[in-house]
Amino acid sequence: MKYDVVIVGAGLAGIIFAERFANLKDKKVLIIDKRNHIGGNLYDYYNYEGILIHKYGPHIFRTDKRDVWDYLGKFTDWHYYQHSVVANVKGFQVPFPINLDTYNILFNTNLSQEEFQSKLDGYKFTDDPKNAEEAVVNQVGHYLYETFFKAYTIKQWGTDPKELHADTVSRVPVRTDKESRYFYHKYQGLPLLGYTDMMMSMIDSKNISIMLNTDYKDIIDGVEFDELIYTGPLDYYFDYELGELDYRSLIFEERTFEQESFQSHSVVNYPNNYDYTRITEYKKLTGQKHHKTTVHFEYPMEHNEANEPYYPILNERNKILKNKYLEKARTLNNITFIGRLAEYRYYAMDEIVESALDSFNKKFNR
Ligand code: FAD
Ligand code: UDP
């Protein structure tokens, strides 16, 4: 069978390319995914109790870019939702990221914003933190680092924060005011009927065929195509010839309770106690009404054949290896490597939308 474009991966990156090629360029597209569903890590579904949950962990969409928001808005209405998280530390549930209230509750003080700021200024010792520990201590000092970050990061990454790049923690801010939203972005929400529904609308075209439960390597030799869009793992494409890139994995323990509500917030972080890092209660994200409630206990794990690659691990070895693979990738014709696996990069969803649209426009829509 001949297609204009083959897309490996039915995640957000792959589906955006499929939508653009099919609707804008009238191209025949085949999407291949080795999982039994579309949506990649955004996949959500109604569990046996009828509660909408995210299979691969909580996903909250946010962006500052109107065009990114509007692009997805062509395929979904929004459930407007502002994310806020609390951390369970020292017998308190306090706002996280750390803000003025977090500090005052924990220390039983009544500091003003200026006083808190001057405390934080006193912790700063470098303009160039060398690792994740330095990045946090530089912002909040040793005590708050030990309380909120050290054990959580060791659980999350299975390694000492000193071994991790400063960027690992840099997306978590510290606020001197009482702002308790996790994200500042102008546009925030979840697709009203879920991510899977939104992505089904994106690929609702006679030009698009989908093959699930299929590793592309098993069939690609028998398919004719002009362009390949690859969103699978970078090292796998090259048969690991330079070595394997490391990932951190997660396991989600799903539990449903015979009660309407389980916890105060959609996400509660547990930095120090327990093996899990956080508990997510989905109804509090999606706004669904139901007399029961489903939560995920999130356990970080080593990545192996049995579990999914979730987070690229930001250290020197992986950075060098990734760059070598990307160099090889650049020498290939008619193939685009894009997305969190194919670029071995932590990408939030809005960054994927921006990057995929940008790449499509530059390469295929001039
Ligand atoms: P993916 O969604 O991983 O899609 C890649 C697809 O390729 C997969 O479906 C996979 O099965 C398929 N594939 C791989 N190998 C093969 C093969 N050999 N053959 C065929 N198919 C293959 N971002 C946010 O903006 N907000 C959030 O709240 C948020 N929360 C997150 C929480 C967690 C726990 C994690 C891990 C990430 C979170 N993200 C969040 C990031 C978000 O998940 C990514 O931006 C997004 O999934 C990237 O899409 P993608 O298409 O690049 O990759
Ligand atoms: N982090 C932490 N304590 C927390 C939350 C986050 O130490 O309560 C650190 C941890 O290393 C984590 C990083 O900050 O990997 C980034 O946090 P974020 O909430 O952005 O992680 P994600 O949502 O991607 O899991």
Side-chain angles (χ1 to χ4, degrees):
M1 180 80 192
K2 166 91 171 78
Y3 294 91
D4 298 312
V5 185
V6 167
I7 298 180
V8 177
L12 187 57
I15 279 187
I16 291 170
F17 269 90
E19 185 279 318
R20 294 282 83 183
F21 273 120
N23 294 338
L24 224 59
K25 297 285 161 192
D26 200 24
K27 298 284 187 196
K28 297 273 174 258
V29 178
L30 171 67
I31 309 176
I32 307 167
D33 203 298
K34 65 178 192 176
R35 291 174 173 169
N36 63 0
H37 57 75
I38 68 148
N41 280 4
L42 278 55
Y43 175 67
D44 53 12
Y45 67 101
Y46 286 88
N47 69 5
Y48 56 94
E49 297 286 3
I51 296 172
L52 183 62
I53 65 170
H54 298 180
K55 178 162 182 167
Y56 303 96
H59 279 72
I60 300 111
F61 188 80
R62 72 274 177 171
T63 180
D64 278 323
K65 307 226 159 118
R66 180 71 201 246
D67 51 343
V68 167
W69 180 253
D70 285 348
Y71 170 73
L72 292 183
K74 290 196 286 184
F75 308 101
T76 184
D77 290 328
W78 293 101
H79 165 58
Y80 295 96
Y81 166 81
Q82 303 270 335
H83 193 44
S84 65
V85 170
V86 288
N88 196 302
V89 291
K90 301 193 184 294
F92 296 104
Q93 286 217 339
V94 288
F96 188 87
I98 294 167
N99 69 12
L100 181 60
D101 284 333
T102 314
Y103 189 93
N104 280 332
I105 294 168
L106 213 52
F107 292 94
N108 196 21
T109 51
N110 197 15
L111 295 192
S112 67
Q113 203 170 333
E114 293 69 31
E115 288 167 325
F116 186 35
Q117 181 65 61
S118 85
K119 257 198 180 304
L120 295 180
D121 291 344
Y123 296 130
K124 191 166 159 62
F125 63 93
T126 174
D127 287 328
D128 180 24
K130 299 274 178 290
N131 55 52
E133 175 174 309
E134 280 196 15
V136 179
V137 173
N138 198 40
Q139 270 194 304
V140 297
H142 273 283
Y143 184 83
L144 294 175
Y145 164 69
E146 300 272 343
T147 304
F148 289 95
F149 287 89
K150 187 173 180 183
Y152 187 107
T153 300
I154 291 172
K155 271 194 273 188
Q156 176 77 9
W157 297 99
T159 181
D160 194 286
K162 284 196 194 79
E163 306 298 319
L164 290 166
H165 197 280
D167 288 351
T168 312
V169 290
S170 62
R171 60 176 177 269
V172 180
V174 177
R175 281 111 177 216
T176 53
D177 59 12
K178 295 183 174 207
E179 172 65 77
S180 65
R181 288 175 306 160
Y182 209 84
F183 308 114
Y184 278 136
H185 300 74
K186 211 160 155 187
Y187 308 100
Q188 301 186 31
L190 284 84
L192 188 61
L193 302 177
Y195 289 98
T196 307
D197 178 88
M198 174 185 82
M199 291 161 96
M200 288 295 286
S201 304
M202 294 171 80
I203 53 172
D204 182 15
S205 160
K206 63 175 177 23
N207 280 343
I208 299 177
S209 310
I210 303 173
M211 197 182 274
L212 295 175
N213 297 306
T214 307
D215 187 317
Y216 83 100
K217 283 194 182 177
D218 293 340
I219 57 127
I220 201 75
D221 289 343
V223 184
E224 261 187 83
F225 56 89
D226 297 328
E227 281 296 331
L228 183 71
I229 308 297
Y230 182 76
T231 76
L234 179 60
D235 51 0
Y236 180 70
Y237 181 87
F238 295 102
D239 298 319
Y240 308 110
E241 64 180 59
L242 304 173
E244 274 190 53
L245 289 161
D246 302 315
Y247 281 95
R248 193 70 177 151
S249 189
L250 299 168
I251 285 188
F252 298 96
E253 183 196 347
E254 180 181 335
R255 291 173 67 182
T256 296
F257 294 90
E258 305 269 332
Q259 58 200 59
E260 230 180 291
S261 169
F262 178 77
Q263 60 190 18
S264 62
H265 289 66
S266 54
V267 175
V268 179
N269 286 2
Y270 288 83
N272 303 306
N273 305 323
Y274 313 108
D275 290 338
Y276 47 83
T277 48
R278 56 183 180 177
I279 302 176
T280 299
E281 183 174 3
Y282 283 101
K283 277 169 45 188
K284 291 201 164 70
L285 284 180
T286 60
Q288 188 183 357
K289 303 281 177 243
H290 198 288
H291 61 287
K292 296 185 188 178
T293 194
T294 298
V295 302
H296 267 164
F297 291 72
E298 186 168 330
Y299 294 88
M301 290 282 154
E302 270 189 24
H303 171 232
N304 57 35
E305 291 214 331
N307 50 33
E308 297 285 338
Y310 278 96
Y311 293 103
I313 298 179
L314 295 179
N315 60 26
E316 270 316 293
R317 175 198 175 269
N318 291 326
K319 219 164 99 184
I320 293 166
L321 190 53
K322 157 191 152 152
N323 286 334
K324 284 187 183 159
Y325 276 124
L326 286 176
E327 241 168 69
K328 283 175 79 69
R330 276 191 284 275
T331 65
L332 303 174
N333 290 323
N334 307 107
I335 165 158
T336 302
F337 288 77
I338 187 142
R340 67 176 192 103
L341 297 169
E343 294 176 80
Y344 191 70
R345 177 178 155 184
Y346 183 87
Y347 260 125
M349 292 181 279
D350 59 324
E351 296 169 318
I352 289 279
V353 176
E354 200 181 345
S355 165
L357 291 178
D358 194 49
S359 162
F360 177 86
N361 283 334
K362 281 193 181 126
K363 279 181 97 164
F364 305 110
N365 195 29
R366 275 187 291 183

